Amino acid sequence: MTLCINSQTYYLKSMKLDLETKIENVLNDADRMFIATSVGGNSSGASVFFNRDGEDLIFFTFNPSRKAEQIRINPRVHIVIWPKGQEGIRGLQIDGECYQIKDSEEIKKAYSMILEITEAFKEFMDDDFLKENKVVGYYRVKPTTIKYVDFYEDEKFEWKTYPHNKSSAIKFISKLALKRIGLWLRTIRAPFLTETLAPVLIGASVAFNDLKDAGLTQTWSPKLFWTVLAGACLAQIATNASNDYFDHTSNADEINKVASPFNGGSRVIQVGLMTAGQVLLTAMAAILGTIAIGLYLNKEISGEMFGNTPLLWIGIVGTFLSLGYTGDPIRLGYKGLGEIAIALGFGPLMVLGTHYVLTSTIHNTHISNWNWIDALLASIPIGILVMLIVWINQFQDAPSDAAIGKNTWVVKAATEDDWIRLERPLKLYKLFMIDAFISIALIGIVSQFTSYGNSYIFIALIPTLLAWKAFKMADEWIVKWNNPEADRQKVPYELLLVNVSTIAIHFLTGILISVSYLL
């Protein structure tokens, strides 16, 4: 009854108000808004506190949140604001474009404006760790249209437009296209394609060395090299995308609250940038592309798509490992076989496959003429190192992996009381790293007594300096991980330098092994 009287009183007072004043009254009588975002049909909504900066609306949120991730891809948002005490009778519906505030002075201003409205998030807004890692963010909404709704008036809907806030169609489409490209690069985890580039370069350099020894360097085929590289990249994309899909269906990524660029998947499903079906289609398209390229290469070499060659069988095994890594019903990664699959697929299989294709003018599909031993030896260290990239990334994932029964080697080697202990997985990480560099040294030693290997490969031991630094950082991190006073939401992020170092060790070692064979 009171609400009805108050609403009728407001109606009598506002009969002669212009639209601008009506909008002002609603905004002055509200401190929360409901914001809706959408990307590719994946919609989300959230209630946030806001303050006004002229005609713009300012709000705070966490950058990894679903709405913030969607805003980065599609800045167009829809907002609903009702004054306090209203039940959907009078309010605003706002269409606008939203952007993260990047200017440092503007961030300070937004910080103060939010605190004028609420201090609910102050501890997060003041957290140095969250600020350094760009977890907290401030956003500005520039209205393009405001729809005023009042069911107590005869004219229940009124509109005000803000043409100056609208991006031009060409500019908006261009930005959207770039964002879409960025989204697909994120989905396929493009920065991690170095895991493919290194073994392909090794296979190619060993092949070129063999062609040189045979006096056939003129038969080197750039076309075949780039085709092999494309097929190998598609194989990794298929592995990455299928891993995202099946880790979503098992809830491994869903319950992982400490995801980073190196663990927890691409997160495109979790933050509503792509549907699970779209990610699965990406994986299927990539694996079909891999198969098509493999069959094309097999035909180029043997004259038949399904010619019985080592390349055909390498392709069959590689496809099995790619889809079976986390895919139903095999799920190698869930059964303690994922590490072997990674080492085999991104080590011997890629190196040998590349070498076989690029030395076809030597062996002419006669396996007895194929110098596979050199390629296999060169593939061993890079196979171990690529496995260690996945290994160290699993440290942050260990709690969520253990919770859903994903029995990675890290989970199996860890001990658990009130918390997962990772000392044993760290010792194994170091041991495998040392083994990788020992295998490089052995290749160099073998070259002194046999026709296999090469004496220049000792230059690939240079990254041991970076490995030593990674060991030291990992030791410091494990102390923090085991500290019962540690913030379990923050400590995982402090391992990121070790994650990065492991990727760098793998790629740099791969480049140096390649160079050693070219020398």
Side-chain angles (χ1 to χ4, degrees), residues 293-312 356:
I293 288 175
L295 293 176
Y296 164 77
L297 290 171
N298 205 41
K299 184 178 181 181
E300 286 290 298
I301 293 169
S302 69
E304 300 178 21
M305 279 191 178
F306 295 96
N308 188 12
T309 68
L311 180 63
L312 179 66
Y356 184 81

PDB file of all heavy atoms in Angstrom, residues 293-312 356:
ATOM      1  N   ILE A 293      45.897 -33.173 -44.869  1.00  0.00           N
ATOM      2  CA  ILE A 293      47.272 -32.821 -45.215  1.00  0.00           C
ATOM      3  C   ILE A 293      48.159 -34.068 -45.187  1.00  0.00           C
ATOM      4  O   ILE A 293      49.014 -34.264 -46.062  1.00  0.00           O
ATOM      5  CB  ILE A 293      47.809 -31.743 -44.247  1.00  0.00           C
ATOM      6  CG1 ILE A 293      47.134 -30.405 -44.562  1.00  0.00           C
ATOM      7  CG2 ILE A 293      49.331 -31.619 -44.346  1.00  0.00           C
ATOM      8  CD1 ILE A 293      47.492 -29.284 -43.604  1.00  0.00           C
ATOM      9  N   GLY A 294      47.950 -34.922 -44.194  1.00  0.00           N
ATOM     10  CA  GLY A 294      48.734 -36.153 -44.099  1.00  0.00           C
ATOM     11  C   GLY A 294      48.541 -37.047 -45.313  1.00  0.00           C
ATOM     12  O   GLY A 294      49.512 -37.588 -45.866  1.00  0.00           O
ATOM     13  N   LEU A 295      47.299 -37.188 -45.746  1.00  0.00           N
ATOM     14  CA  LEU A 295      47.024 -38.028 -46.922  1.00  0.00           C
ATOM     15  C   LEU A 295      47.594 -37.396 -48.196  1.00  0.00           C
ATOM     16  O   LEU A 295      48.086 -38.096 -49.088  1.00  0.00           O
ATOM     17  CB  LEU A 295      45.519 -38.254 -47.055  1.00  0.00           C
ATOM     18  CG  LEU A 295      44.875 -39.091 -45.932  1.00  0.00           C
ATOM     19  CD1 LEU A 295      43.365 -39.169 -46.131  1.00  0.00           C
ATOM     20  CD2 LEU A 295      45.482 -40.495 -45.881  1.00  0.00           C
ATOM     21  N   TYR A 296      47.529 -36.070 -48.265  1.00  0.00           N
ATOM     22  CA  TYR A 296      48.108 -35.377 -49.422  1.00  0.00           C
ATOM     23  C   TYR A 296      49.612 -35.623 -49.481  1.00  0.00           C
ATOM     24  O   TYR A 296      50.168 -35.930 -50.544  1.00  0.00           O
ATOM     25  CB  TYR A 296      47.817 -33.877 -49.323  1.00  0.00           C
ATOM     26  CG  TYR A 296      48.681 -33.034 -50.225  1.00  0.00           C
ATOM     27  CD1 TYR A 296      48.424 -32.943 -51.588  1.00  0.00           C
ATOM     28  CD2 TYR A 296      49.784 -32.344 -49.704  1.00  0.00           C
ATOM     29  CE1 TYR A 296      49.239 -32.184 -52.422  1.00  0.00           C
ATOM     30  CE2 TYR A 296      50.592 -31.583 -50.533  1.00  0.00           C
ATOM     31  CZ  TYR A 296      50.318 -31.505 -51.886  1.00  0.00           C
ATOM     32  OH  TYR A 296      51.122 -30.751 -52.708  1.00  0.00           O
ATOM     33  N   LEU A 297      50.286 -35.489 -48.337  1.00  0.00           N
ATOM     34  CA  LEU A 297      51.734 -35.714 -48.300  1.00  0.00           C
ATOM     35  C   LEU A 297      52.076 -37.160 -48.637  1.00  0.00           C
ATOM     36  O   LEU A 297      53.056 -37.433 -49.343  1.00  0.00           O
ATOM     37  CB  LEU A 297      52.287 -35.348 -46.921  1.00  0.00           C
ATOM     38  CG  LEU A 297      52.294 -33.855 -46.568  1.00  0.00           C
ATOM     39  CD1 LEU A 297      52.654 -33.653 -45.102  1.00  0.00           C
ATOM     40  CD2 LEU A 297      53.270 -33.094 -47.465  1.00  0.00           C
ATOM     41  N   ASN A 298      51.250 -38.076 -48.146  1.00  0.00           N
ATOM     42  CA  ASN A 298      51.507 -39.490 -48.428  1.00  0.00           C
ATOM     43  C   ASN A 298      51.384 -39.779 -49.926  1.00  0.00           C
ATOM     44  O   ASN A 298      52.157 -40.566 -50.488  1.00  0.00           O
ATOM     45  CB  ASN A 298      50.539 -40.362 -47.627  1.00  0.00           C
ATOM     46  CG  ASN A 298      51.089 -41.753 -47.391  1.00  0.00           C
ATOM     47  OD1 ASN A 298      52.271 -41.922 -47.101  1.00  0.00           O
ATOM     48  ND2 ASN A 298      50.238 -42.767 -47.509  1.00  0.00           N
ATOM     49  N   LYS A 299      50.418 -39.113 -50.572  1.00  0.00           N
ATOM     50  CA  LYS A 299      50.255 -39.293 -52.011  1.00  0.00           C
ATOM     51  C   LYS A 299      51.427 -38.685 -52.775  1.00  0.00           C
ATOM     52  O   LYS A 299      51.906 -39.256 -53.771  1.00  0.00           O
ATOM     53  CB  LYS A 299      48.944 -38.667 -52.480  1.00  0.00           C
ATOM     54  CG  LYS A 299      48.669 -38.904 -53.960  1.00  0.00           C
ATOM     55  CD  LYS A 299      47.332 -38.317 -54.385  1.00  0.00           C
ATOM     56  CE  LYS A 299      47.078 -38.582 -55.870  1.00  0.00           C
ATOM     57  NZ  LYS A 299      45.801 -37.997 -56.318  1.00  0.00           N
ATOM     58  N   GLU A 300      51.913 -37.518 -52.309  1.00  0.00           N
ATOM     59  CA  GLU A 300      53.049 -36.870 -52.958  1.00  0.00           C
ATOM     60  C   GLU A 300      54.284 -37.761 -52.917  1.00  0.00           C
ATOM     61  O   GLU A 300      55.090 -37.785 -53.847  1.00  0.00           O
ATOM     62  CB  GLU A 300      53.350 -35.536 -52.270  1.00  0.00           C
ATOM     63  CG  GLU A 300      52.360 -34.427 -52.571  1.00  0.00           C
ATOM     64  CD  GLU A 300      52.465 -33.928 -53.996  1.00  0.00           C
ATOM     65  OE1 GLU A 300      53.538 -33.409 -54.378  1.00  0.00           O
ATOM     66  OE2 GLU A 300      51.477 -34.076 -54.752  1.00  0.00           O
ATOM     67  N   ILE A 301      54.422 -38.516 -51.822  1.00  0.00           N
ATOM     68  CA  ILE A 301      55.625 -39.331 -51.634  1.00  0.00           C
ATOM     69  C   ILE A 301      55.489 -40.710 -52.273  1.00  0.00           C
ATOM     70  O   ILE A 301      56.390 -41.186 -52.975  1.00  0.00           O
ATOM     71  CB  ILE A 301      55.927 -39.482 -50.125  1.00  0.00           C
ATOM     72  CG1 ILE A 301      56.311 -38.128 -49.537  1.00  0.00           C
ATOM     73  CG2 ILE A 301      57.043 -40.502 -49.884  1.00  0.00           C
ATOM     74  CD1 ILE A 301      56.367 -38.110 -48.035  1.00  0.00           C
ATOM     75  N   SER A 302      54.344 -41.366 -52.019  1.00  0.00           N
ATOM     76  CA  SER A 302      54.186 -42.766 -52.461  1.00  0.00           C
ATOM     77  C   SER A 302      53.342 -42.928 -53.709  1.00  0.00           C
ATOM     78  O   SER A 302      53.305 -44.012 -54.301  1.00  0.00           O
ATOM     79  CB  SER A 302      53.562 -43.591 -51.328  1.00  0.00           C
ATOM     80  OG  SER A 302      52.204 -43.208 -51.119  1.00  0.00           O
ATOM     81  N   GLY A 303      52.620 -41.860 -54.075  1.00  0.00           N
ATOM     82  CA  GLY A 303      51.739 -41.949 -55.238  1.00  0.00           C
ATOM     83  C   GLY A 303      50.335 -42.365 -54.877  1.00  0.00           C
ATOM     84  O   GLY A 303      49.435 -42.323 -55.714  1.00  0.00           O
ATOM     85  N   GLU A 304      50.095 -42.759 -53.630  1.00  0.00           N
ATOM     86  CA  GLU A 304      48.766 -43.161 -53.171  1.00  0.00           C
ATOM     87  C   GLU A 304      48.474 -42.523 -51.822  1.00  0.00           C
ATOM     88  O   GLU A 304      49.358 -42.460 -50.959  1.00  0.00           O
ATOM     89  CB  GLU A 304      48.681 -44.684 -53.038  1.00  0.00           C
ATOM     90  CG  GLU A 304      48.922 -45.449 -54.328  1.00  0.00           C
ATOM     91  CD  GLU A 304      48.875 -46.951 -54.093  1.00  0.00           C
ATOM     92  OE1 GLU A 304      48.287 -47.381 -53.081  1.00  0.00           O
ATOM     93  OE2 GLU A 304      49.449 -47.682 -54.912  1.00  0.00           O
ATOM     94  N   MET A 305      47.233 -42.063 -51.653  1.00  0.00           N
ATOM     95  CA  MET A 305      46.853 -41.462 -50.374  1.00  0.00           C
ATOM     96  C   MET A 305      47.055 -42.439 -49.216  1.00  0.00           C
ATOM     97  O   MET A 305      47.544 -42.068 -48.144  1.00  0.00           O
ATOM     98  CB  MET A 305      45.381 -41.002 -50.409  1.00  0.00           C
ATOM     99  CG  MET A 305      45.155 -39.682 -51.077  1.00  0.00           C
ATOM    100  SD  MET A 305      43.481 -39.083 -50.776  1.00  0.00           S
ATOM    101  CE  MET A 305      43.551 -37.519 -51.623  1.00  0.00           C
ATOM    102  N   PHE A 306      46.654 -43.688 -49.450  1.00  0.00           N
ATOM    103  CA  PHE A 306      46.738 -44.688 -48.387  1.00  0.00           C
ATOM    104  C   PHE A 306      47.894 -45.662 -48.629  1.00  0.00           C
ATOM    105  O   PHE A 306      47.845 -46.823 -48.221  1.00  0.00           O
ATOM    106  CB  PHE A 306      45.408 -45.435 -48.258  1.00  0.00           C
ATOM    107  CG  PHE A 306      44.275 -44.550 -47.816  1.00  0.00           C
ATOM    108  CD1 PHE A 306      43.411 -43.983 -48.760  1.00  0.00           C
ATOM    109  CD2 PHE A 306      44.073 -44.259 -46.477  1.00  0.00           C
ATOM    110  CE1 PHE A 306      42.368 -43.155 -48.364  1.00  0.00           C
ATOM    111  CE2 PHE A 306      43.031 -43.433 -46.070  1.00  0.00           C
ATOM    112  CZ  PHE A 306      42.175 -42.878 -47.012  1.00  0.00           C
ATOM    113  N   GLY A 307      48.944 -45.169 -49.285  1.00  0.00           N
ATOM    114  CA  GLY A 307      50.118 -45.995 -49.506  1.00  0.00           C
ATOM    115  C   GLY A 307      50.724 -46.427 -48.179  1.00  0.00           C
ATOM    116  O   GLY A 307      50.785 -45.639 -47.218  1.00  0.00           O
ATOM    117  N   ASN A 308      51.149 -47.679 -48.095  1.00  0.00           N
ATOM    118  CA  ASN A 308      51.656 -48.232 -46.833  1.00  0.00           C
ATOM    119  C   ASN A 308      53.071 -47.708 -46.568  1.00  0.00           C
ATOM    120  O   ASN A 308      54.065 -48.332 -46.903  1.00  0.00           O
ATOM    121  CB  ASN A 308      51.660 -49.762 -46.886  1.00  0.00           C
ATOM    122  CG  ASN A 308      51.999 -50.382 -45.543  1.00  0.00           C
ATOM    123  OD1 ASN A 308      52.012 -49.706 -44.516  1.00  0.00           O
ATOM    124  ND2 ASN A 308      52.287 -51.670 -45.550  1.00  0.00           N
ATOM    125  N   THR A 309      53.121 -46.527 -45.948  1.00  0.00           N
ATOM    126  CA  THR A 309      54.402 -45.890 -45.642  1.00  0.00           C
ATOM    127  C   THR A 309      54.480 -45.592 -44.150  1.00  0.00           C
ATOM    128  O   THR A 309      53.452 -45.550 -43.458  1.00  0.00           O
ATOM    129  CB  THR A 309      54.551 -44.563 -46.404  1.00  0.00           C
ATOM    130  OG1 THR A 309      53.586 -43.631 -45.874  1.00  0.00           O
ATOM    131  CG2 THR A 309      54.335 -44.746 -47.894  1.00  0.00           C
ATOM    132  N   PRO A 310      55.684 -45.339 -43.616  1.00  0.00           N
ATOM    133  CA  PRO A 310      55.805 -44.919 -42.211  1.00  0.00           C
ATOM    134  C   PRO A 310      54.976 -43.669 -41.911  1.00  0.00           C
ATOM    135  O   PRO A 310      54.446 -43.525 -40.812  1.00  0.00           O
ATOM    136  CB  PRO A 310      57.300 -44.648 -42.060  1.00  0.00           C
ATOM    137  CG  PRO A 310      57.945 -45.562 -43.043  1.00  0.00           C
ATOM    138  CD  PRO A 310      57.013 -45.575 -44.225  1.00  0.00           C
ATOM    139  N   LEU A 311      54.850 -42.770 -42.902  1.00  0.00           N
ATOM    140  CA  LEU A 311      54.083 -41.547 -42.687  1.00  0.00           C
ATOM    141  C   LEU A 311      52.623 -41.865 -42.387  1.00  0.00           C
ATOM    142  O   LEU A 311      52.006 -41.221 -41.518  1.00  0.00           O
ATOM    143  CB  LEU A 311      54.180 -40.642 -43.921  1.00  0.00           C
ATOM    144  CG  LEU A 311      53.414 -39.317 -43.823  1.00  0.00           C
ATOM    145  CD1 LEU A 311      53.973 -38.450 -42.700  1.00  0.00           C
ATOM    146  CD2 LEU A 311      53.463 -38.558 -45.151  1.00  0.00           C
ATOM    147  N   LEU A 312      52.057 -42.840 -43.088  1.00  0.00           N
ATOM    148  CA  LEU A 312      50.667 -43.208 -42.847  1.00  0.00           C
ATOM    149  C   LEU A 312      50.480 -43.681 -41.418  1.00  0.00           C
ATOM    150  O   LEU A 312      49.531 -43.263 -40.725  1.00  0.00           O
ATOM    151  CB  LEU A 312      50.237 -44.310 -43.821  1.00  0.00           C
ATOM    152  CG  LEU A 312      48.793 -44.817 -43.649  1.00  0.00           C
ATOM    153  CD1 LEU A 312      47.800 -43.719 -43.999  1.00  0.00           C
ATOM    154  CD2 LEU A 312      48.552 -46.057 -44.513  1.00  0.00           C
ATOM    155  N   TYR A 356      60.837 -37.832 -42.578  1.00  0.00           N
ATOM    156  CA  TYR A 356      60.479 -38.791 -43.632  1.00  0.00           C
ATOM    157  C   TYR A 356      59.996 -38.064 -44.889  1.00  0.00           C
ATOM    158  O   TYR A 356      60.394 -38.400 -46.005  1.00  0.00           O
ATOM    159  CB  TYR A 356      59.403 -39.742 -43.129  1.00  0.00           C
ATOM    160  CG  TYR A 356      59.043 -40.824 -44.118  1.00  0.00           C
ATOM    161  CD1 TYR A 356      59.816 -41.966 -44.251  1.00  0.00           C
ATOM    162  CD2 TYR A 356      57.911 -40.696 -44.940  1.00  0.00           C
ATOM    163  CE1 TYR A 356      59.501 -42.962 -45.170  1.00  0.00           C
ATOM    164  CE2 TYR A 356      57.591 -41.671 -45.861  1.00  0.00           C
ATOM    165  CZ  TYR A 356      58.381 -42.807 -45.977  1.00  0.00           C
ATOM    166  OH  TYR A 356      58.072 -43.775 -46.900  1.00  0.00           O
TER     167      TYR A 356
END
